[in-house]
Amino acid sequence: MLRKLMKNPAFLVGFVFLFGMFAVSIIYSIGWGNEVPKMDLLKDGEGNFLKAPYSPAEYPPLGTDNFNRNILLLIIVGAKYTIGAALVITLCRVIPSVVLGMILHFYLKPFRRIIDSIVDAANYFPPTLLSFLLLNWIILEGPLINPEGFPYDFLDKLLFYLIILIIISIPSLTLLFSNEYDKIMKQEFIDSSKVLGASKRHYIMNHIRPFILPQILLVSIREFMIVMLLIAHLGVLNIYIGGSSLEKDLFENPFFVSLSNEWSGLLGSWWQFLWTTYPWIPFIPVFFFTLTILSAKLMLIGATRVMETMGNDNRNATVQEEVFNSFQGKETFELVHKE
């Protein structure tokens, strides 16, 4: 299946951009570290200093920010934290949900209606607001109110951020996979296995596994897109991956600065420049968020097409096999009335 996915142009383009961006960020960090140096002030033709931040035309390709840091380097450094966090959250959401959905389907059916009602009611609460309420103190207010005595470091805040974003989605994903198991177990071939006395292990390994593996891939890509959007929304609310610090820029204005320079932190730090003479700055992380989500969308389109093709191939193979078996031991053409 992996070979067929890589031969699909839409999947390949999305995959190359997504993991190419991640790989470039890792290589840059290995070679030059995570620090982004502050640039010297530029001069015009008459030797006068130009006022920072500089536009993409003055300092190509993406200009500088209000700390006079190269925005391209900031994007590259922050890519591994942004994409890496989204990948970790996605995998830690989907894999436990696959197992929990199976447990819910096979062992907790009497409680299914109650669990459905609770999870459906909880889904009406916006995940961005729920995440903000759970993360606000440890990521934003705690370090701001008591920066010297705050007991949690970058790693603690990063783990807390990941855990909250993982947990809030597991109940709904568990129900999703449980519903998928319900659909599979209603197939006609399952009835034949039941008549023959198949065990739950037999169902899982021989009947559920071939159907659920493609669904896991599609759900994972969808979840990655949802997580990227959630991370961007939290950035606007000053909830950054790994937390932030309050620093003064070139104009002596206090700004929340992301400790990891990840994209949601850049977006949150630069958001207020929309109402200044530097409106292009906040659009740069928005642009890279959009490209990453579009690349995941391309992977989803490609994977869906490959799954459909494989499904048609399997159905055609089954029909051909049935036709072949029905004529086994018979002539290709046989007269009905023989003399």
Side-chain angles (χ1 to χ4, degrees), residues 55-287:
S55 68
E58 292 170 323
Y59 194 87
L62 298 178
T64 63
D65 68 348
N66 51 325
F67 291 90
N68 213 22
R69 298 174 297 178
N70 188 325
I71 290 180
L72 178 62
L73 294 182
L74 285 171
I75 292 291
I76 291 174
V77 168
K80 62 179 176 297
Y81 291 105
T82 314
I83 298 173
L87 288 173
V88 169
I89 293 167
T90 300
L91 291 176
C92 291
R93 280 180 173 189
V94 173
I95 294 172
S97 299
V98 172
V99 179
L100 291 173
M102 200 173 289
I103 294 171
L104 179 61
H105 174 80
F106 284 109
Y107 300 102
L108 298 176
K109 268 197 172 176
F111 306 101
R112 176 65 184 270
R113 186 172 294 178
I114 300 171
I115 296 171
D116 281 0
S117 304
I118 294 171
V119 174
D120 284 343
N123 283 338
Y124 286 101
F125 201 84
T128 303
L129 185 55
L130 178 61
S131 306
F132 174 77
L133 293 174
L134 294 173
L135 292 167
N136 185 44
W137 185 82
I138 196 167
I139 298 290
L140 184 60
E141 284 193 1
L144 190 64
I145 293 172
N146 185 20
E148 300 299 328
F150 191 69
Y152 303 107
D153 59 9
F154 172 79
L155 185 60
D156 294 331
K157 288 184 279 187
L158 175 63
L159 287 175
F160 200 74
Y161 183 96
L162 296 176
I163 290 169
I164 292 297
L165 263 61
I166 290 166
I167 288 176
I168 61 170
S169 187
I170 283 184
S172 57
L173 277 175
T174 299
L175 275 188
L176 175 69
F177 282 109
S178 183
N179 291 333
E180 290 297 325
Y181 297 137
D182 285 344
K183 290 179 188 172
I184 296 169
M185 292 299 286
K186 288 177 183 173
Q187 299 287 333
E188 291 181 0
F189 57 84
I190 295 292
D191 295 332
S192 304
S193 296
K194 285 180 183 175
V195 171
L196 295 172
S199 63
K200 288 174 183 174
R201 177 183 168 81
H202 179 85
Y203 291 139
I204 294 168
M205 297 306 296
N206 296 290
H207 298 312
I208 291 178
R209 187 171 56 87
F211 285 89
I212 205 66
L213 285 178
Q215 291 300 322
I216 292 173
L217 176 63
L218 297 180
V219 171
S220 299
I221 299 173
R222 285 195 200 103
E223 277 301 305
F224 178 81
M225 295 161 64
I226 292 170
V227 171
M228 286 297 290
L229 281 174
L230 180 57
I231 289 174
H233 292 166
L234 288 174
V236 176
L237 297 172
N238 288 327
I239 303 295
Y240 306 156
I241 300 172
S244 59
S245 62
L246 195 59
E247 296 182 15
K248 290 186 177 180
D249 67 358
L250 295 174
F251 312 103
E252 294 299 317
N253 295 319
F255 276 86
F256 286 112
V257 178
S258 170
L259 296 176
S260 58
N261 293 323
E262 44 83 24
W263 295 349
S264 68
L266 300 178
L267 177 60
S269 300
W270 298 339
W271 187 253
Q272 51 195 303
F273 283 108
L274 276 177
W275 296 276
T276 66
T277 52
Y278 315 105
W280 71 86
I281 295 179
F283 281 101
I284 293 172
V286 171
F287 177 72

